[in-house]
Amino acid sequence: MASQPIKPKRITDIGPPNYENFLHPVIKSNYGQWKYHETLAPGVLCHVAESGARIYSVRAASPRLLSIQTLRLFASLADKYCGGYLRFTSRNNVEFLLDNPDNIEPLKKELAAEGFPVGGTNNSISNIVHTQGWVHCHSSATDASGLVKSVMDALYEDFVQEKLPAKLRIAVACCLNMCGAVHCSDIAILGIHRKPPQIRHDLLPKVCEVPTLISSCPTGAIRPATVGGKQSVEVIEEQCMYCGNCYTVCPAMPMNDPDNDGISIWVGGKVSNARTAPKFTKLAIPYLPNNPPRWPEVVQAVANIVDVYAKNAKRFERLGEWIERVGWPKFFELTGIPFTRYHIDDFKFAGLTYARSTHIRF
Amino acid sequence: MASQPIKPKRITDIGPPNYENFLHPVIKSNYGQWKYHETLAPGVLCHVAESGARIYSVRAASPRLLSIQTLRLFASLADKYCGGYLRFTSRNNVEFLLDNPDNIEPLKKELAAEGFPVGGTNNSISNIVHTQGWVHCHSSATDASGLVKSVMDALYEDFVQEKLPAKLRIAVACCLNMCGAVHCSDIAILGIHRKPPQIRHDLLPKVCEVPTLISSCPTGAIRPATVGGKQSVEVIEEQCMYCGNCYTVCPAMPMNDPDNDGISIWVGGKVSNARTAPKFTKLAIPYLPNNPPRWPEVVQAVANIVDVYAKNAKRFERLGEWIERVGWPKFFELTGIPFTRYHIDDFKFAGLTYARSTHIRF
Amino acid sequence: MADNGKPKTELLDQLETGPWPSFVTEIKKAREGSPVCDDLLGQLELSYQEKKGHWKHGGIVGVLGYGGGVIGRYSDIPEQFPNVAHFHTIRVNQPSGWFYTSDAIRTLCDIWERHGSGLTNMHGSTGDIIFLGTRTNELEPTFKELTEAGFDLGGSGSSMRTPSCCLGQARCEWACYDSMKLCYDLTMAYQDELHRPPFPYKFKIKCAACPNDCVASIARADLSIIGTWKDDIQQDDAAVAAYAAGGLNIQKDVCDRCPTRCMDWDGATLTINNRECVRCMHCINAMPKALAPGKERGATILIGSKAPIVQGALLSSVLIPFIPADELLETVKELIGRVWEFWDEYGKNRERIGELIQRVGMANFLDAIGLDPAPEMISAPRDNPYVFFQTKSESNGN
Amino acid sequence: MADNGKPKTELLDQLETGPWPSFVTEIKKAREGSPVCDDLLGQLELSYQEKKGHWKHGGIVGVLGYGGGVIGRYSDIPEQFPNVAHFHTIRVNQPSGWFYTSDAIRTLCDIWERHGSGLTNMHGSTGDIIFLGTRTNELEPTFKELTEAGFDLGGSGSSMRTPSCCLGQARCEWACYDSMKLCYDLTMAYQDELHRPPFPYKFKIKCAACPNDCVASIARADLSIIGTWKDDIQQDDAAVAAYAAGGLNIQKDVCDRCPTRCMDWDGATLTINNRECVRCMHCINAMPKALAPGKERGATILIGSKAPIVQGALLSSVLIPFIPADELLETVKELIGRVWEFWDEYGKNRERIGELIQRVGMANFLDAIGLDPAPEMISAPRDNPYVFFQTKSESNGN
Ligand code: SRM
Ligand code: SRM
Ligand code: SRM
Ligand code: SRM
Ligand code: SF4
Ligand code: SF4
Ligand code: SF4
Ligand code: SF4
Ligand code: SF4
Ligand code: SF4
Ligand code: SF4
Ligand code: SF4
């Protein structure tokens, strides 16, 4: 990776390339003129324009973390079957855009051979929106990519088939910052801490401003303290809710703790306005151990929820919509997940989550 | 009202009389054995027991504030038609309990002659749950009984008939303490202040503890201050939300202000679990002038809401259920009530009342 | 003064017209025996003119040995209206379900004629008989006569307040437990707490015998006891058919209004999926001759409702999903004991139990009173990730 | 070290089995040209063993004149893994809708082969092309090559973040406005704010061309622009009938799932009460050949969503119910200007716009940006009586 400067002139603020340069000719000439679409097979869509023109999309799985080698593979497949046109989706799948339906099967075959299954459309489980984890972030309570790989291996059949009652969208985030979609997903997997930050009293005065640090704590758990004659802080353990915000503003407050970090599982969120309004994801399992490389407890928990949902929900019912219809007690009963004190909200809007009617099923 | 002590022995803690002594024989012998009920006319119910026995109830309006003269009248009517049995309802109507249906009409006739209309059952507007107002409370921003009289005069037809889509329950409270049912009523009429308390610096140090007073203010608007050399308080006007809690704990903080006090109108609450869960009442009109003796603006506003509801709701739809089905924009449009900045919540749970979907009607 | 020696009541007089019974007429009726009423009318007329109340903050007045039951009230213009210089109310504990005989009514009237204004509220919002307006020196005599007639005072201040109830099994086919008896038994059990304020603030109990909640307990009681049932709705198919024949649109007005849409109507038979039913009462309300609550009856216990002062209004929330009818009294008493113990220890001055639960969190409250968390207590689990894990020491309540 | 001179990756190797494509395989693929990847694998294996990350807080690194676009990252055990001692990511602004030609992809690969790890994320959660891991001294050269190839950096820190969008009119029959163009135009309009952090915190814009919101804008954007329509749903009765014939249960699966139940199906014809329709998309989604959004198209503007740190997650809420498609760019730009001005003046450090609105109240925010309150902005009016009346001086914003 030797540096090879090409030209001296410095260009700035040009913005991204204009998307128009990257559009398939069929798309370009039918832009804004689409009439309807059909699904030809899981992962294969056909969009029909008012003009009668058709564009075929073949959606393949991607680990999102892609080497340039794989990207070049995608590029050459696009050249071979798609006139060089491809795109990525908002859930990090890759989509090949074809005007010739005869190319669909050969493309799918090559993708399969290279290990990129086709699917993720309609009532399937699409790719998992996820984050950096141990691959790149300082903040992570767990890895992200490894969790995704483990879970999607187990849910693979639901990616290549469309047999669920509705779309099911999963997200992974490696800390409470929730880069990604955790707070509004059908199922979310979230890395969590369960211990207050350790305080590096040696480092702290050098790298952090104490007042900023103190005010970063939403619960007021951080207090000024003098340690070894130096200005530092202390954390009142009972008040800490392990949010990690102090660590974000001050590197001398690391949260990592192999013995206590772990995973929580969340369910029932959604983003679309279809039928019901968008919803936040709600706590299902407060804690599962961090068990790399395969996180068997997490995989089992997610697979179980998917399974119970698939068996019980009605057509067009997203996970959260199903739960709202049958009630949370039923969700806990059918999944066998124990209901604990941690499920009961005690944050800002807690009171509104208490059951304020006698609407009860027995 | 000369005092006439009868006996020297002091009796305490005996509790109320046992209700069993006050039950109509038909009720006593069919207690817990009722099978169904029918409505014979507005205000006239017939409950049928498993045994086949029947008890008839005739419900008459009451101003709630009753003289002993009227109570004695009720007692003699009960003697004449009901074997001496009567009761009051949870909404302060009086109910006469008859075992002989032939007595219904004569009783109704006498009640009518005395000015006590019969009604209030099923899909009617029953009596207004209300409070003391200027008749007895130090805290009131308006009168209660006068408002009730004025409003019920206007809604009289809906008391003696059952033509509304569902029950419609109204409440009046004369200050934010809301003694009664304001916070969960179909329509509520609430006396409000719109100015911070006046501070009686002369009186304050004598009658109030300053720290208790300061901590009584939910918004922290009250601060210690020295006035005329004496310890007192000041109120930061911008932070005052006119709740009157300071006045409750300290008489030297009166809120009454004839020029600024007034009435607000609230809609869409309910208590029953029928169909939808119980709901809080929501702000409809932030301010109407206090206009005794007949409060024409208030009467007109309430009548208008009843009218719009009656014309638009479906059968079995309570006011709040109707509004939730058609949406709040429609409510404001149909009633012609202007939507203002005051309708937008800015209290504790405010964020949850912002429209967090694209579900919009045009 | 008007010609008849009575105060001028030009504004109030306008409230004597119209079809609704008039409280002004009532006050005028009462003045026969009571000069107090003239001054009340006078002061009230002034309030109507000035748009302003004329009562002062009440001082502490009451009867011997009781801390509650009387609301002290004084005119702020006693010179003008000396007869209402003192104008205290007495809260008299009503009989369950507000049932009376004509004799009982007359007894109350006679006592109040002797000792007070002759004005009442039948009833106050909490449920009491309100004797409206008397002087301090009349309190004790009134109390004596009341107790001798078998009546006692209700609650006020930081006491247990007078419990109240719907009429339940006395006249309602839907009553799932005996609300009148429970209300009476609880009132009797807590006479001390009712009369001698022991708490951080008021504590209200309301008993409704089914989810229709005709006594508004879910909105206006610190402890709400609401009847319900566990088994299937009782159904009479012939009667359903009769409703249909009689013009009820069973699909639209019953099935489509069921909150869980757990009913099916094929034009001839109604099928209820009782496992999905949330016991809202709607279908039963709509067809009282055809449907009825199940036979396994009892109540749901909810906690914490109140008016908005000052943290915002609360509705009661589910604490115990179901208690069989015959275990209600004992279980509720045991529960109340634990709740009061917790409130006593942790409640701040003027903090209602619902506010305390909000402040410390439901889970800690459950720990403290020794109840296991159940998903029926919540409408949904938390949506924020801010869990206070108890890894440090498992017994730590936070 | 394993025999091949490569680090041992026993745990990671287990992630190369199974049907889902493996990120471990990707890292291994990339190590052909890049020794960095060996150290990345080594450090990652260690994290898998220890259950603990090994990255330090990033310092401030970047390219000349830009304050954003690079996330600094350093190993906390550089002695062991010197090649990832620096391991910064570069955020490259993606083209609207993530459309590429194979040539564009190869250009990016070539640049990144020359200057970085050869690892990417296609794409980051905000939407950027992520170049995953390089050293400080490679930042400027990478940037140079990128701009010469027509690419520029995305946002990071307290800047406007890279806007993103659903593919909209490019391949979707439901697009109610041109989300790709709007996204591009806004990105171009705010190059300065994107590259030179001017704000109290991050500001994200996402453009979805219909209420299905395929780019999750309502949950993950400070400004969410979501397509909708004003007139009636376009309906093809024959196609509806074809769906019914094809086995779709129109009553159950379409009508009964409509949130406002505003559709009627009599077995032959579907009737939509369009005045009641809330444009949820469900019926259209279920029958794409039969129904389509109306012709009067545009977008709803919503504001304020974000992840939970630290006051709890927010969803965006309605700010402008409808803007016609052809007025979108200008109106949104004007609006953004006013929003930023307000945020700039009143926002605290690290306070997102949604949090600021929560803090000062929506009404005050509307006043400040000069928008009239509309009932479409709320799900319901306040239920508490704590109104800050503005009687003192009508212009006072509180
Ligand atoms: C390609 C993509 C947009 C893009 O610019 O990249 C896209 C494309 C389409 N979406 Fe989407 N959606 C895409 C992400 C989303 C997201 C965002 C997300 O998942 O993070 C959502 C919101 C999800 C949520 O609510 O949590 C989303 C909610 C929908 C819905 C509503 C589903 C529902 O019932 O709630 C529809 C309608 C439907 O499927 O019937 C839809 C429909 C569609 C249609 C059918 C639209 C059309 O007519 O072309 C497209 C093919 C759908 C399919 O995959 O079955 N799309 N769609 C995204 C593909 C992601 C992927 O690789 O899986
Ligand atoms: C008499 C009565 C109104 C009526 O006309 O019926 C009443 C009258 C007063 N209430 Fe009440 N409340 C009455 C039922 C209620 C109810 C309704 C209920 O009990 O179902 C409520 C709402 C439910 C609740 O408890 O939250 C109620 C909520 C309040 C509050 C607000 C309490 C809160 O926590 O939000 C206050 C203020 C306070 O306690 O400081 C209050 C305070 C008062 C005071 C004592 C005034 C004060 O600030 O000290 C009033 C005395 C008036 C007077 O001069 O007689 N009153 N009060 C009701 C009692 C009669 C009875 O015993 O039957
Ligand atoms: C007499 C009374 C109980 C008492 O102990 O005093 C009572 C008695 C009955 N109620 Fe009630 N309700 C009584 C106050 C209430 C209240 C409390 C209140 O209004 O403050 C409620 C809750 C109101 C709310 O939700 O805001 C109440 C909600 C109901 C409902 C549910 C209505 C709904 O659809 O939401 C029913 C069922 C029905 O009417 O179909 C009901 C039904 C009934 C039935 C039919 C029960 C029966 O089978 O006997 C009784 C006659 C009803 C009628 O008036 O049409 N009762 N009922 C109360 C009469 C008050 C009055 O004078 O008007
Ligand atoms: C790279 C990326 C995750 C990914 O793997 O895709 C990411 C990575 C980081 N995010 Fe993020 N965020 C990324 C998208 C998001 C999103 C999703 C989105 O934009 O749609 C969110 C949730 C939406 C939102 O903005 O609220 C998100 C919410 C956060 C937060 C919480 C912000 C909040 O207000 O709640 C933080 C913490 C902070 O800002 O202090 C954060 C902070 C971070 C930092 C900078 C860590 C930190 O504390 O300084 C992470 C750097 C990781 C690294 O080493 O590369 N990141 N972050 C995403 C950006 C890639 C891109 O540019 O395309
Ligand atoms: S979720 Fe947390 S750990 Fe993961 S990338 Fe975002 S900030 Fe880093
Ligand atoms: S982790 Fe969060 S709650 Fe705990 S001390 Fe840090 S900022 Fe405070
Ligand atoms: S609502 Fe207020 S003014 Fe009216 S009786 Fe209750 S405390 Fe007094
Ligand atoms: S009225 Fe309420 S907000 Fe105003 S000063 Fe008094 S206690 Fe505070
Ligand atoms: S609450 Fe139920 S049981 Fe009690 S009176 Fe009302 S309907 Fe009957
Ligand atoms: S009681 Fe309510 S929930 Fe149960 S079946 Fe009847 S309408 Fe449905
Ligand atoms: S958001 Fe709507 S317009 Fe955009 S891709 Fe999704 S379905 Fe199509
Ligand atoms: S778009 Fe949604 S709200 Fe409108 S008719 Fe269709 S299903 Fe109903």
Side-chain angles (χ1 to χ4, degrees), chain C residues 102-174:
Chain C
S102 47
D103 283 346
I105 293 279
R106 274 186 291 256
T107 305
L108 291 168
C109 291
D110 294 348
I111 297 173
W112 195 228
E113 183 164 48
R114 285 194 286 274
H115 298 291
S117 66
L119 294 172
T120 72
N121 286 147
M122 296 297 272
H123 295 80
S125 290
T126 307
D128 291 296
I129 303 159
I130 306 286
F131 278 179
L132 202 62
T134 194
R135 308 184 71 86
T136 310
N137 59 334
E138 293 290 353
L139 295 173
E140 196 62 34
T142 314
F143 176 68
K144 261 202 188 141
E145 289 203 39
L146 279 170
T147 50
E148 277 159 8
F151 284 89
D152 200 344
L153 299 195
S156 72
S158 293
S159 74
M160 187 175 89
R161 296 302 182 86
T162 310
S164 65
C165 61
C166 80
L167 83 181
Q169 298 190 338
R171 200 199 61 194
C172 184
E173 67 269 33
W174 300 324

Side-chain angles (χ1 to χ4, degrees), chain A residues 197 216-219 221-222 235 240-246 255:
Chain A
S216 75
C217 179
T219 67
I222 306 178
V235 173
C240 178
M241 58 186 195
Y242 328 111
C243 71
N245 200 42
C246 52
M255 303 282 302

Side-chain angles (χ1 to χ4, degrees), chain B residues 57-59 85-89 93-97, chain C residues 171:
Chain B
S57 307
V58 173
R59 181 180 298 171
Y85 295 96
L86 77 169
R87 71 179 291 267
F88 294 84
T89 71
N93 289 311
V94 57
E95 277 182 350
F96 295 90
L97 301 159
Chain C
R171 200 199 61 194

Side-chain angles (χ1 to χ4, degrees), chain D residues 84-117:
Chain D
V84 294
H86 303 197
F87 197 65
H88 314 319
T89 60
I90 301 177
R91 294 182 176 172
V92 181
N93 198 333
Q94 83 287 2
S96 275
W98 303 286
F99 280 90
Y100 296 92
T101 56
S102 48
D103 283 346
I105 292 281
R106 273 186 291 258
T107 305
L108 290 167
C109 291
D110 294 348
I111 297 173
W112 194 228
E113 182 164 49
R114 285 195 287 276
H115 298 292
S117 66

Side-chain angles (χ1 to χ4, degrees), chain D residues 379-392:
Chain D
S379 59
R382 69 168 64 235
D383 61 24
N384 61 76
Y386 301 134
V387 180
F388 288 96
F389 283 101
Q390 296 181 318
T391 44
K392 329 156 201 203

Side-chain angles (χ1 to χ4, degrees), chain B residues 129-150:
Chain B
V129 167
H130 64 281
T131 48
Q132 295 297 333
W134 292 330
V135 171
H136 201 267
C137 196
H138 64 289
S139 203
S140 44
T142 186
D143 190 33
S145 311
L147 273 164
V148 169
K149 166 74 176 145
S150 305

